[in-house]
């Protein structure tokens, strides 16, 4: 219950953040500009619009999660509003989880808005409302759940600028996991390879949430991908949040 | 009457960041706050007053010692059910209106929805912010912020209220208002702990005092016991008597416009001065026996360091 | 109290284990893995460079690595479709980088078996990097090799390559050889002569002299064959030996081979051959 109170409060706060609307504007802009890109491209124009549109939602969604998430906890500490808050009957983890949920809620609203714009733009090309695209957006949302947790994690002990850098690195590492796979294939068996393999298994693989190709090109999704993706997102997010709670617990608020 | 708050030998050293120069802020602080009293926590800036409060609230973890708040650890949320806290220089969520702000905290205390609106209205009235209740907090003046802060501290109808430097930066009228509110709280049966570095305020309303300097409690006790009723000296302002004649009884601190301010250390000399004035046909403008003030004790205590 | 402290690290470790497990499970699911496939939608030309905000060579690296994986994966159908586009984009991002063009050429040749595409890749490289000898060099090879076996084009490429400073010495020899194969004996002779005279390595000198032998033989035999047919025209029969040709004034004098030996003439078949095989001199 306390968590929900904090979540609602965080939602109210996040929704008033101007960065959110700036990013929403740019996202809408880039979805619309996919049209321009289509003209320059060799290949199926509609596919370009769909693909770039989804990429925009994914990218700007991540940016929103990072830019707002990294300031969320830090601001409370810096502005000392946390002093008054902790003096109330609230546990530290309730505060952290409440912030997290509030941001997720905010992102859900923003993603929904971006999806509507996207579907409209696609409609203007194909004259159908392509609901299949929403599948891709749902997977993107699974990714954002994880990224938000990472942003909150860093926000609980680092300044917004550093936190943003770390969170962004997490995002990039997550999308280049395949290059590590390639490296492993080329490494001869041995300790080094085993270490790399271990690293590969625990580093985030955000491409697991990328079904844009399948959706845009109407390919079938392998069985179990849904469960796998939800599971991966849930477990990794839980891991990050537990880590955040652990770090946040014994912190002195000077 | 039990103790609402007990600290025993609390120690804390800050190890800030990458520079491993530790700063010992609390060097074994012990005191107790009894139910129904006004407790003044006095000390110069940087003595460790706010750090102590942070330990009590669970914002900071002491390295050693025990703290008991309503008989529980500060980490126990139940310990805060009946606690109200007003921080120094309150910063609050700028975009919330006064009413939304109080509503937020009311929800945290799980005040029933039906009860919430009524309580908020009453508090707003008490702190005299009826006109500003609908404005966002960023439009509040400092005094208004102080008042909404006080309202927030009382939102859960606490039995123990902690105020960190509540009188800082206020004009004399504001200070009187706060002092009256604190007294009112005590009269309503609540316990109040407040910190200050302004001695006069503490002297005026506290029942119990602790003086902290550089992380150590140097002196504490009931105000009446700390400050003796002993008269240190008497200040008499007279005119019409020559300075040389007055010097027999004390020092002429100042002579201005024909009036002399005389400091008479020996109590028995006072009637002699009065007689002299009457004999010579002079005038007495004032006669003030100076007792030991808190300031004297404070200066003494600090000087002993 | 000790137990409590261990709860968090234990949970976190468990979490890592679960993450690893899930990742392996997810990897096992076959998906059309085309990470970064968005490259197809990149506009070519100056626009793409602008889009990378100054990190164009870095982006070229990434795109290149991706392209190699992509084209190396024979499971992906329709890889050829955007081949040209993709490598053009890489080239636009970092025109001076030699590897992509070469790799593209290799892929085009061995994977797609499309010689014209191969040559196109090398041409692109050459156009943007006229000072690199490797592009016309490799292009020459691909022309000379099957399926093209187009020695004329090979020759043209080798000629360009050999004039670029830094080109290996063999380029000249390749040019000479290609000229021979296109029957431009004059050029071939001249170039082999040059090689023979300037070369200090005795093995290569030997090779050059073998080639000179071969060129001379080709020229001589051609001349002799013309003389033989003239003789047949005039006298209605095949010459009995080569000296007859000289006697009959159909030819000035009977040429000897490079070593001064006679050519071998078979009156029955009309064949003229060299006394020895050039490589076995």
């Amino acid at each position: 219950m306390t968590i929900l109170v904090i979540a609602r409060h965080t939602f109210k706060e996040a929704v008033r953040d101007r960065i959110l609307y700036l990013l929403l504007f740019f996202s809408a802009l880039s979805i619309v500009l996919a049209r321009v890109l289509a003209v320059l491209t060799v290949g199926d124009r509609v596919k370009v619009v769909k693909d770039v549109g989804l990429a925009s939602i994914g990218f700007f969604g991540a940016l929103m999660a990072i830019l707002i998430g990294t300031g969320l906890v830090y601001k409370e500490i810096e502005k000392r509003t946390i002093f008054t808050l902790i003096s109330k009957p609230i546990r530290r983890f309730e505060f952290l989880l409440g912030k997290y949920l509030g941001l997720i809620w905010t992102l859900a609203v923003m993603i929904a808005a971006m999806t509507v714009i996207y579907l409209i733009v696609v409609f203007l090309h194909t004259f159908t409302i392509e609901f299949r695209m929403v599948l891709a957006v749902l997977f993107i949302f699974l990714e954002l759940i994880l990224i938000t947790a990472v942003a909150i994690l860093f926000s609980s002990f680092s300044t917004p600028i550093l936190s943003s850098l770390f969170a962004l690195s997490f995002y990039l590492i997550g999308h280049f996991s395949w290059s590590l796979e390639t490296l492993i294939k080329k490494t001869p068996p041995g300790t080094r390879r085993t270490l790399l393999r271990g690293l590969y298994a625990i580093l985030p693989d955000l491409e697991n949430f990328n079904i844009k190709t399948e959706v845009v090109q109407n390919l079938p999704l392998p069985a179990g991908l849904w469960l796998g993706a939800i599971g991966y997102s849930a477990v990794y997010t839980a891991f990050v949040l537990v880590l955040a709670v652990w770090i946040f617990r014994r912190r002195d608020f000077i | 009457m039990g103790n609402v708050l007990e600290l025993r030998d609390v120690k804390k050293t800050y190890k800030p960041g990458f520079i491993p120069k530790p700063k010992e802020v609390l060097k074994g602080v012990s005191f107790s706050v009894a139910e129904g009293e006004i407790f003044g926590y006095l000390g110069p800036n940087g003595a460790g007053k706010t750090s102590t409060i942070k330990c009590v609230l669970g914002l900071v973890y002491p390295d050693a010692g025990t703290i008991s708040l309503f008989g529980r650890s500060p980490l126990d949320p139940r310990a805060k059910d009946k606690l109200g806290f007003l921080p120094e220089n309150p910063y609050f969520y700028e975009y919330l209106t006064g009413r939304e702000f109080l509503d937020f905290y009311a929800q945290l205390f799980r005040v029933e929805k039906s009860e919430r609106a009524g309580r908020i209205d009453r508090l707003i009235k008490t702190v005299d912010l009826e006109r500003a209740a609908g404005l966002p907090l960023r439009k509040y003046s400092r005094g208004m912020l102080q008042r909404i802060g006080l309202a927030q501290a009382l939102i859960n109808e606490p039995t123990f209220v902690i105020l960190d430097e509540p009188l800082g930066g206020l004009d004399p009228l504001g200070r009187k208002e706060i002092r009256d509110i604190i007294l009112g709280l005590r009269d309503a049966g609540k316990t109040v702990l407040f910190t200050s570095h302004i001695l006069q305020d503490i002297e005026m309303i506290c029942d119990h005092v602790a003086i902290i300097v550089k992380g150590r409690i140097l002196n504490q006790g009931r105000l009446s016991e700390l400050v003796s009723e002993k008269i240190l000296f008497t200040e008499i302002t007279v005119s019409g008597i020559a300075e040389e004649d007055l010097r027999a009884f004390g020092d002429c601190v100042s002579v201005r416009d024909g009036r002399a301010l005389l400091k008479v250390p020996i109590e028995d000399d006072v009637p002699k001065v009065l007689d002299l004035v009457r004999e010579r046909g002079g005038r007495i403008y004032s006669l003030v026996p100076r007792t030991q003030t808190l300031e004297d004790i404070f200066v003494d205590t600090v000087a002993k360091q | 109290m000790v137990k409590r402290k261990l709860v968090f690290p234990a949970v976190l470790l468990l979490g890592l284990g679960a993450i690893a497990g899930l990742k392996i499970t997810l990897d096992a699911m076959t998906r059309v893995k085309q990470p970064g496939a968005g490259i197809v939608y990149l506009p070519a030309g100056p626009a793409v460079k602008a889009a990378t905000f100054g990190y164009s060579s870095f982006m070229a690296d990434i795109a290149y690595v991706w392209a190699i994986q992509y084209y190396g994966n024979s499971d992906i159908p329709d890889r050829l479709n955007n081949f040209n586009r993709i490598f053009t984009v890489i080239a636009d991002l970092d025109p001076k980088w030699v590897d992509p063009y070469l790799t593209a050429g290799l892929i085009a040749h061995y994977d797609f078996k499309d010689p014209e595409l191969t040559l196109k890749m090398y041409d692109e490289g050459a156009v943007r990097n006229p000072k690199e000898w490797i592009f016309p060099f490799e292009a020459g090879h691909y022309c000379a090799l099957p399926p093209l076996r187009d020695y004329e084009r090979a020759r043209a490429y080798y000629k360009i390559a050999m004039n670029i400073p830094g080109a290996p010495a063999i380029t000249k020899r390749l040019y000479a050889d290609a000229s021979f194969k296109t029957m431009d004996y004059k050029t071939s002779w001249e170039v082999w002569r040059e090689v023979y005279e300037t070369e200090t390595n005795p093995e290569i000198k030997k090779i050059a002299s073998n080639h000179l032998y071969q060129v001379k033989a080709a020229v001589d035999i051609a001349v002799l064959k013309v003389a033989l047919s003239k003789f047949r025209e005039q006298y209605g029969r095949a010459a009995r030996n080569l000296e007859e040709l000289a006697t009959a004034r159909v030819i000035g004098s009977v040429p000897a081979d490079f070593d001064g030996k006679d050519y071998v003439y078979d009156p029955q078949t009309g064949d003229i051959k060299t006394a020895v095989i050039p490589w076995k001199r």
Side-chain angles (χ1 to χ4, degrees):
Chain A
M1 245 328 277
T2 317
I3 297 180
L4 286 180
V5 173
I6 304 283
R8 211 175 305 142
H9 172 93
T10 308
F11 176 76
K12 273 205 206 146
E13 179 186 357
V15 141
R16 276 167 232 235
D17 198 337
R18 268 167 287 195
I19 292 188
L20 211 60
Y21 298 100
L22 197 68
L23 289 174
L24 185 64
F25 171 72
F26 276 114
S27 158
L29 199 67
S30 84
I31 293 175
V32 168
L33 279 180
R35 184 105 181 49
V36 176
L37 213 59
V39 174
L40 293 171
T41 308
V42 166
D44 194 333
R45 286 191 182 175
V46 180
K47 283 187 183 155
V48 170
V49 171
K50 285 182 183 174
D51 208 49
V52 172
L54 284 176
S56 304
I57 295 180
F59 176 67
F60 283 103
L63 223 53
M64 278 180 196
I66 293 175
L67 288 180
I68 296 179
T70 50
L72 224 49
V73 176
Y74 182 80
K75 256 204 305 193
E76 290 247 14
I77 298 174
E78 223 231 323
K79 290 207 162 157
R80 321 266 166 123
T81 49
I82 201 169
F83 287 7
T84 337
L85 207 51
I86 298 282
S87 71
K88 311 286 179 255
I90 175 176
R91 292 196 174 84
R92 290 205 182 184
F93 80 85
E94 286 172 325
F95 168 74
L96 210 58
L97 291 183
K99 284 272 164 206
Y100 173 71
L101 274 179
L103 185 53
I104 294 290
W105 190 345
T106 314
L107 284 173
V109 171
M110 289 293 132
I111 298 284
M114 286 196 263
T115 311
V116 167
I117 297 172
Y118 172 69
L119 287 175
I120 290 175
V121 171
V122 169
F123 179 83
L124 291 174
H125 274 265
T126 63
F127 300 108
T128 43
I129 301 180
E130 305 237 8
F131 285 112
R132 202 168 151 74
M133 301 299 130
V134 178
L135 277 177
V137 174
L138 287 173
F139 267 72
I140 288 173
F141 193 69
L142 285 176
E143 181 181 349
L144 288 183
I145 284 179
L146 176 53
I147 295 179
T148 309
V150 172
I152 296 269
L153 165 67
F154 289 119
S155 175
S156 64
F157 64 84
S158 183
T159 62
I161 296 179
L162 272 179
S163 305
S164 300
L165 280 172
F166 290 140
L168 211 59
S169 310
F170 181 86
Y171 183 69
L172 286 174
I173 291 173
H175 281 282
F176 283 104
S177 181
W178 52 272
S179 53
L180 187 56
E181 191 182 8
T182 316
L183 183 63
I184 289 175
K185 283 197 189 134
K186 296 207 174 143
T187 316
T191 346
R192 188 164 154 198
R193 192 177 194 207
T194 327
L195 278 171
L196 283 175
R197 269 219 170 114
L199 201 64
Y200 174 67
I202 58 177
L203 280 180
D205 184 0
L206 299 177
E207 285 294 321
N208 281 324
F209 305 115
N210 183 359
I211 61 166
K212 298 192 204 86
T213 319
E214 279 99 334
V215 161
V216 169
Q217 306 207 11
N218 255 308
L219 298 166
L221 289 167
L225 187 65
W226 264 113
L227 267 174
I230 292 176
Y232 193 62
S233 172
V235 172
Y236 217 123
T237 303
F239 174 78
V240 172
L241 287 175
V242 168
L243 189 60
V245 168
W246 193 28
I247 293 177
F248 198 60
R249 272 183 127 218
R250 299 302 293 188
R251 224 193 119 160
D252 285 332
F253 295 116
I254 300 176
Chain B
M1 290 224 286
N3 285 333
V4 164
L5 174 64
E6 265 185 48
L7 279 88
R8 240 187 274 278
D9 203 27
V10 172
K11 295 197 176 110
K12 180 65 187 174
T13 308
Y14 285 146
K15 288 162 244 144
F18 300 104
I19 309 158
K21 229 175 34 169
K23 190 174 174 224
E24 208 183 349
V25 279
L26 298 175
K27 300 176 190 172
V29 168
S30 306
F31 64 84
S32 315
V33 178
E35 200 180 327
E37 70 180 7
I38 299 181
F39 190 100
Y41 197 36
L42 169 67
N45 287 325
K49 302 192 296 294
T50 307
S51 300
T52 315
I53 304 293
K54 287 186 185 170
C55 286
V56 170
L57 293 173
L59 281 163
V60 158
Y61 298 96
D63 299 325
T66 57
I67 300 177
S68 163
L69 178 65
F70 289 109
R72 295 184 209 271
S73 152
L75 300 179
D76 188 344
R78 286 172 298 175
K80 312 212 183 120
D81 269 337
K82 283 299 174 189
L83 177 71
F85 171 60
L86 174 62
E88 185 181 4
N89 293 328
Y91 291 101
F92 299 128
Y93 305 105
E94 298 177 322
Y95 55 92
L96 287 180
T97 67
R99 193 161 264 126
E100 285 174 334
F101 175 70
L102 291 176
D103 195 51
F104 173 55
Y105 289 119
Q107 286 178 45
L108 278 180
F109 278 112
R110 285 161 229 209
V111 177
E112 290 293 326
K113 194 156 186 189
S114 47
E115 159 75 4
R116 251 186 260 155
R119 198 185 286 192
I120 291 171
D121 285 332
R122 268 178 280 135
L123 274 169
I124 288 175
K125 202 156 176 212
T126 314
V127 295
D128 196 24
L129 279 174
E130 276 159 300
R131 273 171 298 122
L135 291 175
L137 290 178
R138 68 186 134 87
K139 298 217 167 119
Y140 280 32
S141 69
R142 193 160 186 287
M144 290 159 81
L145 280 175
Q146 196 88 317
R147 280 183 275 157
I148 197 78
L150 200 53
Q152 159 279 134
L154 302 172
I155 191 73
N156 57 328
E157 292 175 348
T159 54
F160 180 31
V161 181
I162 299 180
L163 310 163
D164 196 4
E165 302 275 358
L167 301 151
L170 294 178
D171 61 21
L173 192 61
R175 303 237 304 273
K176 180 175 193 315
E177 278 177 7
I178 301 289
R179 284 202 304 269
D180 287 340
I181 290 176
I182 296 177
L183 286 168
L185 288 173
R186 198 258 312 266
D187 293 338
K190 302 195 199 294
T191 315
V192 178
L193 162 70
F194 75 95
T195 68
S196 185
H197 58 270
I198 303 168
L199 307 171
Q200 289 82 358
D201 295 322
I202 299 218
E203 212 169 358
M204 273 188 246
I205 57 177
C206 288
D207 303 313
H208 214 111
V209 167
I211 300 177
I212 179 170
V213 177
K214 293 210 186 118
R216 252 185 269 270
I217 304 273
L218 297 180
N219 218 328
Q220 63 166 306
R222 298 201 66 78
L223 193 61
S224 51
E225 284 161 22
L226 278 181
V227 178
S228 67
E229 297 280 296
K230 192 179 91 164
I231 295 177
L232 296 172
F233 51 83
T234 313
E235 283 173 351
I236 312 178
T237 312
V238 302
S239 74
I241 313 287
E243 227 183 290
E244 312 81 59
D245 299 324
L246 291 172
R247 239 179 264 141
F249 301 105
D251 296 318
C252 269
V253 173
S254 74
V255 180
R256 218 189 344 190
D257 299 332
R259 299 184 202 187
L261 175 63
L262 183 67
K263 239 171 103 163
V264 182
I266 303 168
E267 225 180 316
D268 294 333
D269 283 344
V270 174
K272 294 186 194 155
V273 173
L274 296 175
D275 290 337
L276 184 63
V277 173
R278 247 182 300 126
E279 271 173 45
R280 301 284 176 85
R283 267 194 75 179
I284 297 179
Y285 294 92
S286 75
L287 193 152
V288 181
R290 271 273 275 117
T291 52
Q292 188 184 43
T293 62
L294 193 57
E295 185 173 347
D296 300 324
I297 299 176
F298 183 74
V299 169
D300 259 353
T301 312
V302 174
K304 281 201 203 113
Q305 280 299 293
Chain C
M1 273 335 267
V2 180
K3 254 196 188 169
R4 280 206 72 185
K5 265 202 164 176
L6 289 177
V7 166
F8 268 99
V11 168
L12 286 171
L13 270 170
L14 264 172
L16 275 179
I19 288 170
L22 275 166
K23 168 98 163 100
I24 294 169
T25 320
L26 277 164
D27 271 356
M29 297 184 197
T30 46
R31 293 179 58 198
V32 181
K33 277 215 169 147
Q34 292 184 35
I39 192 177
V40 186
Y41 305 129
L42 284 173
V48 73
K49 210 161 178 165
T52 52
F53 298 110
Y55 287 99
S56 46
S57 37
F58 172 65
M59 287 312 292
D61 292 345
I62 297 202
Y64 180 54
V65 170
W66 170 79
I68 292 181
Q69 300 311 314
Y70 181 67
Y71 284 104
N73 186 353
S74 41
D75 289 334
I76 302 176
D78 311 328
R79 291 179 345 266
L80 177 57
N81 290 351
N82 296 301
F83 180 79
N84 190 18
R85 163 146 226 104
I86 287 166
F87 277 98
T88 310
V89 168
I90 297 178
D92 283 333
L93 284 172
D94 197 351
K96 299 293 173 193
W97 190 19
V98 168
D99 295 336
Y101 301 107
L102 298 176
T103 313
L106 274 173
I107 296 172
H109 187 262
Y110 289 104
D111 247 0
F112 298 135
K113 313 228 188 311
D114 185 344
E116 289 306 323
L117 187 57
T118 311
L119 291 173
K120 184 172 194 302
M121 290 294 119
Y122 288 120
D123 286 340
E124 294 268 339
V127 158
R128 290 186 174 86
N129 297 283
K131 294 216 179 92
E132 291 281 351
W133 55 263
I134 189 108
F135 296 119
F137 186 75
E138 296 276 324
H141 292 342
Y142 285 112
C143 288
L145 287 170
L148 282 178
R149 280 191 236 258
D150 185 340
Y151 297 110
E152 194 58 62
R153 276 166 90 184
R155 192 164 89 107
Y157 277 120
Y158 285 136
K159 183 165 191 188
I160 298 171
M162 78 186 200
N163 288 322
I164 297 175
I170 197 174
T171 320
K172 221 174 208 172
R173 305 202 286 277
L174 289 164
Y175 173 64
D177 193 50
S179 301
F180 178 76
K181 295 208 165 78
T182 57
M183 300 200 280
D184 179 356
Y185 298 128
K186 184 169 191 298
T187 315
S188 189
W189 175 266
E190 277 166 9
V191 181
W192 278 122
R193 224 193 143 110
E194 206 187 311
V195 172
Y196 183 78
E197 251 126 53
T198 55
E199 208 28 82
T200 48
N201 184 335
E203 292 202 14
I204 299 183
K205 232 173 154 82
K206 186 88 203 297
I207 291 172
S209 90
N210 286 342
H211 275 277
L212 284 169
Y213 183 94
Q214 190 186 39
V215 175
K216 185 168 201 305
V219 172
D220 290 345
I221 290 174
V223 167
L224 285 170
K225 281 218 162 128
V226 167
L228 277 173
S229 67
K230 254 197 190 162
F231 186 93
R232 186 180 274 274
E233 249 184 67
Q234 279 190 350
Y235 296 98
R237 62 166 175 91
R240 254 171 267 126
N241 53 45
L242 293 175
E243 287 70 30
E244 265 210 286
L245 295 172
T247 324
R249 303 254 165 117
V250 183
I251 195 172
S253 57
V254 177
D257 72 11
F258 192 68
D259 300 326
K261 304 246 174 48
D262 291 328
Y263 289 106
V264 174
Y265 171 61
D266 181 358
Q268 305 291 81
T269 57
D271 257 347
I272 310 178
K273 283 207 285 258
T274 55
V276 296
I277 298 171
W279 320 117
K280 297 206 172 143
R281 280 164 70 223

